[in-house]
């Protein structure tokens, strides 16, 4: 099915663009200005972040109370359970927190709920299972969850179990839970960008400042924090950028046997980028949780034996293949449903549900359909009792939280973020929700806002695309949320030979602008009806190394018939 053409929006030049800073190309300074980075000192700090610039961890809310309670547990020999979520951020947070406690000789264990049986966060079912498995501990530290678990934590208080929440999620409308401490940046004025693993890293830093451990090197865990930060799609700004930059550098030589094995099964044998984490490492860790086996991902991150780590990494790789199979099945069926039931040009939203779909992968399919059709999308997996669990992804300008709040009569429950959210719904209410969700979008957006669009950062000529430019461009990395990979455009581009088809749907393109020639890859380009040249091409650039030779790789994002301007 042909996609609706996207409007290209070329970003305006920033009002303050530095000149002649450190010999950097003017286009790089423009990209920095678009990101709000100006002034030589700020530019150097952005391009070369240093670990020594990490702030005092005690600036985070309730950090003192959390450290004092953990120190009390150390002194008294108490049992402490670390309870976390089943995604990448949750599993890495559990692994880091448990390693820190083990270094201090704290007894206890870990608990990660199963997505299908116990759901997200602290639930009564999960608490029952934890108590049955571990008995009643003196202290539970929740990581990547707990902020909104007011009733569940009250229950633990009644049982005589202390709780420390280490989290980064939004507060409940009913306030904070009553517990020893809620170490959550959202309660304070800064650090709102941190993921849970980043908050755990801060807690570990605070503990080490109070009680130094000569044999424990917190910096050795920075690669794990980087994986969580990228995979959780939190903003790559300030200390997140710092942690990820240094963590990615460390990954190829990591001392974590599990991460090393995971890189091997993912086909990584050199430098690791944020894209590698987002599309190759993160999905394999996430796949364990999606298959209701989060304990296998945790075991891999905590493994010290290379042979065992290799076996576990292969298990996660197998889970990921299963996830891909489920995803393809759902995506193919969802595409048929779009063709049969929807008008993808005029309908304001896509909402689809089926009893055949696996709840662990509906979010991935929602994301793919949202990108393809540029529509706010919910994909719902319905169980045998007729209760659906849905995952939604949105487009610029449409808040899924606002949509959920406007459709409460159709839903059992729902929540999340503006761009990604989840819900529970009865099967018979899906059609009503689709109608009311669509009306919400029509009321809160204009036709222009709903039209597919692509933001282009800068126009560049082929002759500027050199390895020297790539070297300076790489200083902008890591790319991710709030520091996206720049999209460039070039006008008046011709083909030097016919496109070469790769695996049916991808294209290898041989392009010329003036006297400069470049090769490019166009993923899924074989499924597009391309206009006759000359073209304007929108693209990203990457470093490609093959058999020891490094080249600048153009990755086409869109093609249109060439225009003089606009």
């Amino acid at each position: 099915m042909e996609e609706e053409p996207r409007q290209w929006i070329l970003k305006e030049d920033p009002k303050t663009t530095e000149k002649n800073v450190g010999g950097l190309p003017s286009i790089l300074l423009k990209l920095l200005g678009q990101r709000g980075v100006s002034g030589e000192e700020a530019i150097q700090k952005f391009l070369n972040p240093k670990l020594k610039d990490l702030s005092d961890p005690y600036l985070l809310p309730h950090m003192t109370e959390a450290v004092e309670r953990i120190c009390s547990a150390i002194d008294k020999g108490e049992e402490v359970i670390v309870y976390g979520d089943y995604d990448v951020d949750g599993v890495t947070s559990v692994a880091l927190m448990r390693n820190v406690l083990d270094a201090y000789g704290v007894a206890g264990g870990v608990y990660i709920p199963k997505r299908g049986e116990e759901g997200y966060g602290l639930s009564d079912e999960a608490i029952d299972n934890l108590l049955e498995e571990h008995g009643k501990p003196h202290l539970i530290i929740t990581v990547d969850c707990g902020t909104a678990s007011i009733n569940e934590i009250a229950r633990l208080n009644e049982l005589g179990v202390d709780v420390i929440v280490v989290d980064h999620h939004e507060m409940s409308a009913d306030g904070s839970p009553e517990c020893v401490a809620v170490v959550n940046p959202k309660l304070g004025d800064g650090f709102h960008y941190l993921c849970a693993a980043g908050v755990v890293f801060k807690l570990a830093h605070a503990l080490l400042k109070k009680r130094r451990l000569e044999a424990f090197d917190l910096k050795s865990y920075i690669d794990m924090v980087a994986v969580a930060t990228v995979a959780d799609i939190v903003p790559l700004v300030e200390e997140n950028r710092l942690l990820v930059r240094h963590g990615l550098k460390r990954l190829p030589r990591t001392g974590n046997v599990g991460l090393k094995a995971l890189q091997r099964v993912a086909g990584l044998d050199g430098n690791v980028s944020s894209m590698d984490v987002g599309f190759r490492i993160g999905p394999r860790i996430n796949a364990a949780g999606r298959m209701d086996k989060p304990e296998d991902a945790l075991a891999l991150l905590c493994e010290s034996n290379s042979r065992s780590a290799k076996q576990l990494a292969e298990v996660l790789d197998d889970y990921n293949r299963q996830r891909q199979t489920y995803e393809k099945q759902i995506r193919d069926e969802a595409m048929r449903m779009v063709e049969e039931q929807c008008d993808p040009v005029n309908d304001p939203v896509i909402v689809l549900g089926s009893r055949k779909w696996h709840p662990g992968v509906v979010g991935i399919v929602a994301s793919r359909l949202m990108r393809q059709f540029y529509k706010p999308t919910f994909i719902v997996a319905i169980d045998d009792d007729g209760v659906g669990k849905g995952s939604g992804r949105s487009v610029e300008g449409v808040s899924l939280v606002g949509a959920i709040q406007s459709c409460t009569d159709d839903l059992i429950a729902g929540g999340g973020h503006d761009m990604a959210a989840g819900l529970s719904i009865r099967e018979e209410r899906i059609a009503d929700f689709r109608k009311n969700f669509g009306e919400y979008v029509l009321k809160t957006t204009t036709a222009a806002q709903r039209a597919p669009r692509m933001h282009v950062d800068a126009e560049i000529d082929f002759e500027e695309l050199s390895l020297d430019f790539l070297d300076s461009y790489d200083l902008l990395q890591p790319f991710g949320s709030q520091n996206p990979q720049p999209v460039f455009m070039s006008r008046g581009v011709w083909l030097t030979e016919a496109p070469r088809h790769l695996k049916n749907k991808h294209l290898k393109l041989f392009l010329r602008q003036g006297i400069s020639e470049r090769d490019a890859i166009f993923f899924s380009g074989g499924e597009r009806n391309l206009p006759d040249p000359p073209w304007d091409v929108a693209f990203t650039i990457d470093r490609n190394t093959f058999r020891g030779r490094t080249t600048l790789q153009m990755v086409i994002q869109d093609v249109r018939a060439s225009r003089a301007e606009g």
Side-chain angles (χ1 to χ4, degrees):
M1 183 180 295
E2 188 71 13
E3 300 175 30
E4 186 178 351
R6 288 185 285 180
Q7 178 187 3
W8 295 16
I9 301 173
L10 182 60
K11 294 181 182 177
E12 296 181 1
D13 288 348
K15 293 181 179 179
T16 56
T17 299
E18 302 297 324
K19 294 180 173 63
N20 302 320
V21 176
L24 297 172
S26 59
I27 193 167
L28 187 71
L29 295 173
K30 173 181 176 178
L31 295 172
L32 287 166
Q34 290 172 343
R35 286 154 173 75
V37 182
S38 62
E40 185 164 359
E41 182 179 350
I43 288 172
Q44 292 303 332
K45 191 172 183 179
F46 182 90
L47 297 180
N48 300 288
K50 295 179 171 34
L51 285 173
K52 68 178 183 179
D53 293 329
L54 285 170
S55 60
D56 185 351
Y58 284 96
L59 293 174
L60 283 171
H62 299 171
M63 184 64 82
T64 299
E65 295 89 334
V67 169
E68 289 177 352
R69 181 62 184 87
I70 293 172
C71 286
S72 175
I74 296 169
D75 294 337
K76 295 178 180 178
E78 292 179 334
E79 183 181 9
V80 180
I81 300 296
V82 181
Y83 181 108
D85 191 20
Y86 38 69
D87 68 358
V88 178
D89 192 20
V91 172
T92 52
S93 296
V94 170
L96 176 53
M97 191 73 249
R98 190 65 252 175
N99 273 292
V100 172
L101 294 175
D102 288 346
Y104 281 104
V106 177
V110 299
Y111 193 88
I112 300 178
K114 294 186 184 298
R115 177 193 296 259
E117 300 171 12
E118 298 161 304
Y120 165 76
L122 273 175
S123 65
D124 286 329
E125 295 87 351
I127 291 172
D128 290 340
N129 293 335
L130 182 155
L131 294 174
E132 182 177 346
E133 181 177 329
H134 294 282
K136 189 173 76 172
H138 298 90
L139 173 65
I140 292 176
I141 302 175
T142 72
V143 295
D144 199 27
C145 60
T147 296
S149 303
I150 295 173
N151 295 332
E152 293 79 7
I153 290 176
R155 177 189 172 194
L156 288 169
N157 290 338
E158 291 175 0
L159 293 171
V161 179
D162 285 346
V163 178
I164 295 173
V165 173
V166 185
D167 195 12
H168 71 127
H169 289 99
E170 299 292 337
M171 299 292 115
S172 165
D174 297 323
S176 297
E178 293 291 333
C179 58
V180 173
V182 181
V183 185
N184 185 329
K186 298 294 197 312
L187 285 174
D189 296 327
F191 311 103
H192 287 197
Y193 47 77
L194 289 171
C195 69
V199 183
V200 173
F201 185 87
K202 288 284 194 179
L203 174 57
H205 187 193
L207 271 168
L208 290 166
K209 288 187 74 166
K210 185 172 181 67
R211 293 201 179 188
R212 186 180 179 88
L213 286 174
E214 294 294 338
F216 188 85
D217 180 14
L218 183 58
K219 286 189 294 186
S220 68
Y221 292 90
I222 200 169
D223 45 17
M224 195 183 294
V225 177
V227 168
T229 302
V230 172
D232 216 49
I233 321 180
V234 291
L236 291 189
V237 298
E238 300 184 34
E239 292 195 16
N240 275 356
R241 174 177 170 76
L242 191 160
L243 291 167
V244 172
R245 170 72 77 86
H246 287 273
L248 292 178
K249 286 182 180 178
R250 191 179 186 93
L251 264 174
R253 52 184 177 84
T254 181
N256 185 292
V257 176
L259 282 177
K260 189 174 293 184
L262 198 58
Q263 289 176 80
R264 290 199 187 100
V265 300
L268 298 170
D269 57 2
N271 293 332
V272 179
S273 70
S274 54
M275 296 285 284
D276 293 324
V277 172
F279 291 98
R280 299 169 83 170
I281 296 175
R284 286 170 167 81
I285 299 175
N286 256 335
R290 295 185 188 281
M291 298 297 112
D292 272 348
K293 294 289 186 180
E295 64 274 11
D296 289 340
L298 179 64
L300 174 67
L301 294 179
C302 296
E303 184 56 64
S304 59
N305 180 274
S306 296
R307 181 175 296 179
S308 298
K310 179 177 181 292
Q311 293 172 344
L312 283 166
E314 290 170 348
V315 168
L316 264 61
D317 195 46
D318 185 57
Y319 289 151
N320 194 48
R321 282 193 292 271
Q322 292 179 46
R323 187 270 302 171
Q324 291 171 329
T325 299
Y326 289 138
E327 178 194 335
K328 185 179 186 306
Q329 291 171 349
I330 296 174
R331 187 174 71 249
D332 289 347
E333 185 172 347
M335 286 297 297
R336 287 194 294 271
M337 293 171 71
V338 168
E339 292 177 359
E340 295 168 1
Q341 303 175 17
C342 305
D343 179 351
V345 174
N346 297 309
D347 288 352
V349 301
I350 294 173
V351 178
L352 303 171
S354 173
R355 292 197 176 207
K356 300 177 183 178
W357 294 346
H358 192 292
V361 296
V362 290
I364 302 172
V365 176
S367 181
R368 289 187 181 276
L369 265 64
M370 177 275 293
R371 289 198 301 269
Q372 180 167 351
F373 297 108
Y374 202 79
K375 308 282 184 186
T377 300
F378 272 97
I379 302 297
V380 184
I382 305 165
D383 66 20
D384 292 338
D385 296 322
V387 176
K389 291 184 178 179
S391 189
R393 299 293 184 269
S394 195
V395 300
E396 182 182 348
V398 177
S399 166
L400 293 185
V401 174
I404 287 170
Q405 291 172 348
S406 74
C407 300
T408 52
D409 291 344
D410 300 322
L411 307 175
I412 299 171
H417 306 285
D418 287 341
M419 303 301 287
L423 56 78
S424 298
I425 186 171
R426 296 292 311 179
E427 184 176 17
E428 61 269 19
R429 298 296 305 225
I430 289 178
D432 290 333
F433 172 65
R434 182 188 299 115
K435 174 178 175 292
N436 293 326
F437 180 25
E439 289 179 354
Y440 167 83
V441 171
L442 290 174
K443 288 178 183 177
T444 57
T445 61
T446 65
Q449 289 173 321
R450 294 191 297 274
R453 70 188 93 168
M454 177 181 62
H455 293 282
V456 177
D457 294 86
E459 187 172 346
I460 191 170
D461 292 332
F462 276 14
E463 63 183 13
E464 298 178 74
L465 298 175
S466 66
L467 287 179
D468 286 340
F469 173 71
L470 188 60
D471 287 339
S472 58
Y473 166 87
D474 279 344
L475 295 174
L476 290 173
Q477 300 211 46
F479 297 127
S481 175
Q482 294 192 25
N483 185 38
Q485 186 172 17
V487 176
F488 301 103
M489 69 171 289
S490 295
R491 302 179 194 268
V493 174
W494 296 83
L495 287 168
T496 60
E497 60 180 90
R500 185 178 302 166
H501 286 259
L502 306 173
K503 296 182 179 179
N504 297 320
K505 63 180 183 178
H506 308 315
L507 293 179
K508 179 72 176 288
L509 300 176
F510 307 90
L511 306 175
R512 174 179 60 81
Q513 185 193 49
I515 62 172
S516 299
E517 296 185 0
R518 295 286 183 269
D519 295 348
I521 187 79
F522 190 2
F523 293 111
S524 299
E527 299 176 335
R528 294 277 302 274
N529 292 323
L530 300 178
D532 292 332
W535 294 339
D536 295 338
V537 294
F539 58 94
T540 58
I541 60 174
D542 290 311
R543 184 181 297 273
N544 183 42
T545 301
F546 182 68
R547 294 180 178 174
R549 180 172 175 263
T550 298
T551 57
L552 184 149
Q553 174 74 64
M554 290 177 59
V555 181
I556 302 296
Q557 304 299 311
D558 201 6
V559 169
R560 71 182 186 187
S562 189
R563 306 177 189 178
E565 59 182 24

